[in-house]
Amino acid sequence: MHEYLRRSALAVERLVPCIGPTYREMLLTAAQAGAWDIAVSDLVGALSEEDVAITTAEKEELRLLMVHTGAPLTHLTGIRTAGHRST
């Protein structure tokens, strides 16, 4: 469980700057509350909704986190991947 929490925090920290302010506040609120299952799920939804391209490695990390919680992977499949993401 500790590894899941650490990896979730890193994924949110790394990817939250890529999304717009509408979703960012909601994600940061969930993260600050320690609701990582919600934060990761909302992050995936935001990335898909806003059509943000992430690296294949980042997408795989999100997939592993989603699988850990048993969350559906529906929105994850809609996320584009790119060879390198510039921030």
Side-chain angles (χ1 to χ4, degrees):
M1 187 58 140
H2 179 69
E3 183 66 12
Y4 166 77
L5 297 176
R6 185 185 71 76
R7 291 171 76 173
S8 295
L10 288 172
V12 169
E13 181 181 310
R14 184 173 50 249
L15 294 171
V16 80
C18 300
I19 61 172
T22 302
Y23 292 107
R24 190 177 304 138
E25 184 177 331
M26 181 174 51
L27 283 165
L28 293 175
T29 299
Q32 289 170 349
W36 294 110
D37 55 335
I38 295 169
V40 170
S41 181
D42 287 351
L43 175 61
V44 168
L47 291 167
S48 177
E49 178 74 24
E50 294 184 356
D51 197 28
V52 175
I54 61 175
T55 67
T56 302
E58 289 167 335
K59 188 172 181 177
E60 177 60 13
E61 179 69 16
L62 291 173
R63 188 190 71 75
L64 292 172
L65 294 170
M66 299 284 286
V67 166
H68 179 81
T69 63
L73 303 177
T74 309
H75 291 294
L76 187 69
T77 59
I79 297 175
R80 292 183 301 118
T81 57
H84 177 6
R85 179 180 55 81
S86 60
T87 53

